């Protein structure tokens, strides 16, 4: 099998297939007609390149216009039946089939080479040192479109020669069938033709194009179907639920999921490089099942036809270029190009090689000799890189992995192989050695130097997963699957251990991103339950199936990790007491094991229980442990839970700072699920400030983020908080309906704690029968007691005491508040008891105590009962007599807001906007924004960075961004950078406030992150 294809759609088609294409303005794509100034001159007219031409005969002869022009001479004997390598023994290399003596002079004239016209006369010299190289006379390499970055993509400098009729025919066929196979020998032009048809059909029908190159060693249908589902973007929860034998995925089950998704979102699918025989038939049959009944078109390319074994398949044989078309491809008169035409057999891949050869008497007699001639002209560095790539044998090699080779390729080597037509660039960031040339390169290579055998190369590249970014994912999956394949046997212990480590790291990354399709692809290709069961269990938990998650944990090799994941699953189920017991057992099992995950979990359980006192210390230690381990994902989640802690203690400013940092870190590492959770936390911040109007739309946006990441638990909790915001906003009917939906959502994902809180809040929302409300509270209280949540249990008892006028319930609630360290809760119990007893003095005393914990706007809502928002926090008390500084009076205060408009990179510059936002009742809120500015701001860098402007900038206090100031930051080193902003009164020069912010300076990247607000 050749697999003469490429990577995903949109990245271009391999140069092997598209080398003969041209989309110049003077040529019509469908007819091939050329305008003035194109083609050959009047003095040397060529035959019509699109004329009927049977091409090479069985004996190697070429027929032009029906007459036999010549016959290819027989190839010279080759040693051991192998093609010439171009590397005979000795210091001096001679060209294949020739000598190292004087070369025959060619006649004068102009021939067309890689960079345009090349003088092919006696001035084309041969320099002979330790090795022979060919000196080309012509424009510099920069004149080439390849040197300008065209690579293997684009249409190239020649036209779509000889394919106009085929293209029109295939476009007509695509409207009548769902599956078309283009077959023919390697390098014949199948991929280019498939890409042209796919692009046309995709544009005409407004459909996406999914391009999948079938790996030579992974032709199983489930591999291709999983890759297709990843491209489509099927939600992980739907994919998990559709697999009855999860994580095993049968082709039938996957085809059913594909059919459902493609019915909703039709596409154009290109399966490039389908193998011959039974594997190809099985793959095409599965693809036919996947698109049955949909409006999806499948284009397959293969060396052999499968039309006889797949009934739904329509076959089309791609013929070689005729002699006249091949001559036009080379830009030569027919009689001059004849020797090269016979050597290339009319295949664009080899014509692409032939066009760079000098015309000085070198006459290759076969494709293998043609390749040997081109290889003979390479520099030793480029030839060594070619040998390495051929030995490695990967379909495509990303640049990130190429840098890990024993001798990382230089730009000069890559450009040399690219320009001569050996190497292709199917899409940015990838290099490809066509399979046909890979086989010739492997056959013509000599002994491998140490460290360059296939097993050694695989060992080196899989080992790079420990320190590299492990992106893109698929090449690492193919490497790990090769080393761990059963056909390899036990193999080298080091290589297998590195491959297992690589698979484990990939699985954890994919589980963190909830990328189930790629995780199942890794499972399908490696079959390592010990390494992959734990990440699979994490994805099952994240998609709402806690029972399946706990079942998968039984197969994991990592006992410590299994216990930690078990504790996480129990916490997600709301079983806080049981989760704490598992962590206690884990400490006894492995007291010296990794501490970061345990610290995280203990802090999360404490926050869920409403016991914040020890959680802050645990989370600070967890952040340090994650930083020491280099785990940005762990650091981001620890920062997120620290933000949750600040929400719990009623600190909106601290919560906003921590959650904003976590959101930025999640966005940087590509964890969309974490971004959605951080946005939910940030949307709750306005509720702590009493700004309910901003909370509702923010929570609705956060809810959409959880839906986009298919996180049912995130949807349930965000819907719950949205219901509370609606209740606080004064919409009891909407809040009740939202809470009822939240109860169902929590039960669907098995989250008992969320369901208990939703029942508790449902009893408070809106009017209703007294018995019903009491019944809801009784059910919620029983659930809180069983799950181990003292905060919920105490507040439920307190509400029951008020509604049943039973002081015993209130006393019991006060006792639970006291045991859990919730001093504000004790004062709420005192207030409830005083009101029940009609003691006005005790009521006033309780309200005075509560003023030390809560903002004034919340205490104004106590006339009709206990305010709903009071149970959202366990506020920290301040020293006696100290006014509460944070979140007390947002309507009367001003806030300094900052927005980072660009990502901050070392050596680059980023913009930061700063504004002063007055509260609605602040005196500045009524100022004319068009009047004189009231404030000025200075910026000071507390690190190695420059800030412009160095002088002060005027600022207008406004609720929008019209009066904001803008600074430009230029950091000189990576790592954390702090900035201090000083706000002054512009009239008197009085310093009103100083604020500091910190962000991380990163190395340069091509992927910008969204703007962050502080």
């Amino acid at each position: 099998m050749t697999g003469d294809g490429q990577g995903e759609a949109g990245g271009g088609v391999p140069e092997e297939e598209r080398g003969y294409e041209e989309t110049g303005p003077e040529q019509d794509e469908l007819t091939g007609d050329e305008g003035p100034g194109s083609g050959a001159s009047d003095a040397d007219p060529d035959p019509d390149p699109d004329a009927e031409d049977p091409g090479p005969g069985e004996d190697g002869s070429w027929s032009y216009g029906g007459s036999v022009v010549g016959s290819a001479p027989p190839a010279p004997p080759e040693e051991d039946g192998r093609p010439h390598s171009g590397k005979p023994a000795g210091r001096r290399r001679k060209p294949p089939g020739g000598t190292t003596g004087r070369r025959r002079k060619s006649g004068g004239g102009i021939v067309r080479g890689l960079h345009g016209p090349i003088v092919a006369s006696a001035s084309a010299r041969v320099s002979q040192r330790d090795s022979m190289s060919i000196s080309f006379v012509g424009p510099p390499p920069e004149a080439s479109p390849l040197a300008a970055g065209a690579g293997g993509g684009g249409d190239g400098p020649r036209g779509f020669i000889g394919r106009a009729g085929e293209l029109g025919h295939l476009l007509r066929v695509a409207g009548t069938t769902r599956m078309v196979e283009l077959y023919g020998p390697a390098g014949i032009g199948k991929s280019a033709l498939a890409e042209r048809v796919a692009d046309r059909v995709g544009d005409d029908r407004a459909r996406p194009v999914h391009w999948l190159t079938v790996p030579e060693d992974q032709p199983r249908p489930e591999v291709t179907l999983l890759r297709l589902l990843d491209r489509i973007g099927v939600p992980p929860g739907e994919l998990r639920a559709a697999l009855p034998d999860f994580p095993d995925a049968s082709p039938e089950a996957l085809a059913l999921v594909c059919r459902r998704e493609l019915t909703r979102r039709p596409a154009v699918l290109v399966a490039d490089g389908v193998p011959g025989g039974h594997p190809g038939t099985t793959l095409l049959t599965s693809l036919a099942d996947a698109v049955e009944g949909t409006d999806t078109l499948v284009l397959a390319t293969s060396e052999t036809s499968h039309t006889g074994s797949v009934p739904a398949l329509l076959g089309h044989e791609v013929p070689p270029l005729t002699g006249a078309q091949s001559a036009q491809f080379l830009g030569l008169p027919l009689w001059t190009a004849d020797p090269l035409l016979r050597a290339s057999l009319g295949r664009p891949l080899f014509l692409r090689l032939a066009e760079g050869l000098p015309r000085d008497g070198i006459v290759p007699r076969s494709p293998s000799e043609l390749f040997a001639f081109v290889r003979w002209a390479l520099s030793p560095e480029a030839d060594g890189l070619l040998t390495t790539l051929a030995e490695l044998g990967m379909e495509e090699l990303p640049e990130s992995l190429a840098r890990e080779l024993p001798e990382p390729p230089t730009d000069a080597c890559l450009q040399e192989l690219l320009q001569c037509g050996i190497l292709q660039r199917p899409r940015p960031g990838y290099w490809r050695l066509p399979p046909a040339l890979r086989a010739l390169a492997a056959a013509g290579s000599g002994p491998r130097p140490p460290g360059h055998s296939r097993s050694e190369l695989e060992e080196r590249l899989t080992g790079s997963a420990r320190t590299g970014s492990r992106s893109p994912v698929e090449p690492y999956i193919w490497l790990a699957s090769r080393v761990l394949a059963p056909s390899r046997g036990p193999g080298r212990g080091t290589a297998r251990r590195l491959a297992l480590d690589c698979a484990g790291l990939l699985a954890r990354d994919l589980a963190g991103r909830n990328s189930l399709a790629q995780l199942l692809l890794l499972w399908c290709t490696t079959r390592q339950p010990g390494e992959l069961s734990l990440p699979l269990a994490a994805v099952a938990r994240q998609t709402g199936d806690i029972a399946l998650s706990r079942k998968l944990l039984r197969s994991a090799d990592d006992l410590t990790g299994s216990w930690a994941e078990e504790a996480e699953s129990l916490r997600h189920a709301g079983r806080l007491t049981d989760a704490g017991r598992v962590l206690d057992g884990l400490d006894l099992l492995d007291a010296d094991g990794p501490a970061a995950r345990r610290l995280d979990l203990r802090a999360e359980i404490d926050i869920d229980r409403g016991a914040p006192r020890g959680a802050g210390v645990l989370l600070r230690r967890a952040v340090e442990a994650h930083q020491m381990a280099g785990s940005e994902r762990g650091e981001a989640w620890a920062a997120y839970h620290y933000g949750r802690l600040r929400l719990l203690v009623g600190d909106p400013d601290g919560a906003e700072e921590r959650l904003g940092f976590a959101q930025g870190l999640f966005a940087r590492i590509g964890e969309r699920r974490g971004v959605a959770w951080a946005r939910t936390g940030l949307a709750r911040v306005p509720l702590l400030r009493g700004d309910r109007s901003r909370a509702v739309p923010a929570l609705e946006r956060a809810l959409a983020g959880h839906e986009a990441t298919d996180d049912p638990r995130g949807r349930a909790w965000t819907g719950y908080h949205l219901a509370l915001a609606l209740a606080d906003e004064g919409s009891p009917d909407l809040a009740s309906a939202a809470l009822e939906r939240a109860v169902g959502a929590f039960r669907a994902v098995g989250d008992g704690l969320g369901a208990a809180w939703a029942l508790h809040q449902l009893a408070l929302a809106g009017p209703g029968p007294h018995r019903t409300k009491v019944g809801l509270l009784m059910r919620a209280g029983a659930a809180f007691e069983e799950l181990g949540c003292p905060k919920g249990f105490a507040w439920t008892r307190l509400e029951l005491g008020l509604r049943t006028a039973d002081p015993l319930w209130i006393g019991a609630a006060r006792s639970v508040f006291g045991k859990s360290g919730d001093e504000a809760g004790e004062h709420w119990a005192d207030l409830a008891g005083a009101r029940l007893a009609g003691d006005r003095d005790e009521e006033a005393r309780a309200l005075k105590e509560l003023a030390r914990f809560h903002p004034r706007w919340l205490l104004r809502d106590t006339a009709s009962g206990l305010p709903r928002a009071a149970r959202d926090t366990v506020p920290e008390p301040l020293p006696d007599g100290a006014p509460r500084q944070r979140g007390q009076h947002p309507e009367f205060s001003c806030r300094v807001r900052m927005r980072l408009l660009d990502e901050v990179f070392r050596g680059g510059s980023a913009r930061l906007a700063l504004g002063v936002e007055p509260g609605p009742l602040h005196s500045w809120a009524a100022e004319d924004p068009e009047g004189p500015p009231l404030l000025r701001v200075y910026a000071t860098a507390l690190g190695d960075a420059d800030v412009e402007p160095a002088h002060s900038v005027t600022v207008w206090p406004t609720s929008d961004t019209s009066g904001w100031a803008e600074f430009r930051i230029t950091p000189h080193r990576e790592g954390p950078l702090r900035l201090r902003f000083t706000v002054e009164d512009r009239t008197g020069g009085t310093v009103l406030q100083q604020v500091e912010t910190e962000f991380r300076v990163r190395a340069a990247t091509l992927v910008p992150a969204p703007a962050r607000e502080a």
Side-chain angles (χ1 to χ4, degrees), residues 3-28:
D4 53 320
Q6 60 159 39
E8 287 95 18
V13 169
E15 194 72 25
E16 165 190 354
E17 309 292 358
R18 59 162 89 237
Y20 52 87
E21 301 175 22
E22 179 169 4
T23 56
E26 298 180 356
Q27 176 171 340
D28 182 77

Side-chain angles (χ1 to χ4, degrees), residues 144 187 219 239 260 349 457 470 516 528 559 620 701 841:
S144 167
L239 179 56
R260 184 177 64 230
L349 172 64
L457 291 171
R470 297 183 290 277
L516 181 56
Q528 298 297 322
L559 186 58
R620 284 192 289 272
R701 291 192 296 270
D841 294 336

Side-chain angles (χ1 to χ4, degrees), residues 87 207 289 502 676 757 818 833 955 979:
K87 291 185 178 181
R207 305 281 166 75
D289 292 342
C502 176
W757 274 115
V955 175
L979 294 178

Side-chain angles (χ1 to χ4, degrees), residues 478-622:
W478 306 141
L479 281 169
S481 65
R482 278 187 188 182
V483 179
L484 299 173
S487 58
R488 287 285 186 97
R492 297 174 58 175
T494 303
R496 185 172 179 83
R497 186 180 69 252
L498 290 174
L500 287 172
D501 289 346
C502 176
L505 290 169
L506 288 174
R508 287 191 286 276
D509 289 346
L510 296 172
R513 297 197 293 266
N514 231 15
S515 299
L516 181 56
Q518 286 188 318
L519 184 56
L520 290 176
L521 177 63
L522 181 62
W523 166 267
C524 177
T525 55
T526 60
R527 292 287 177 176
Q528 298 297 322
E531 295 290 332
L532 304 185
S533 293
L534 195 58
L536 286 166
V539 173
R541 167 178 53 79
Q542 291 161 187
T543 55
D545 196 335
I546 295 177
L548 176 61
S549 173
R550 300 182 68 186
K551 176 183 176 182
L552 289 168
L553 290 177
R554 301 169 191 162
S555 304
D557 287 344
D558 184 359
L559 186 58
T560 302
S562 297
W563 280 47
E565 180 61 34
E566 172 77 6
E568 185 77 77
S569 296
L570 290 170
R571 189 187 79 82
H572 279 207
R575 297 166 55 183
L576 305 180
T577 302
D578 294 341
R581 289 171 181 163
V582 171
L583 286 178
D584 292 340
L586 181 58
D587 289 341
L588 294 174
L589 175 70
D590 186 13
D592 299 326
R597 182 82 183 276
R598 304 181 205 181
L599 293 169
D600 280 334
L601 285 170
R602 288 201 180 277
E604 293 164 23
I605 292 170
D606 285 346
I607 294 171
D608 292 342
R609 294 177 66 248
R613 284 191 175 178
V617 176
L618 293 173
L619 286 171
R620 284 192 289 272
R621 290 171 56 196

Side-chain angles (χ1 to χ4, degrees), residues 272-313:
D272 192 30
V274 174
H278 180 71
T281 300
T282 304
L283 173 57
L284 291 172
T285 302
S286 294
L287 289 176
D289 292 342
V291 301
E292 183 181 358
T294 73
D295 196 18
T296 294
L297 173 66
V298 176
L299 294 170
T301 68
S302 179
E303 287 193 28
T304 58
S305 173
H306 298 83
T307 52
S309 51
V310 182
L313 191 63

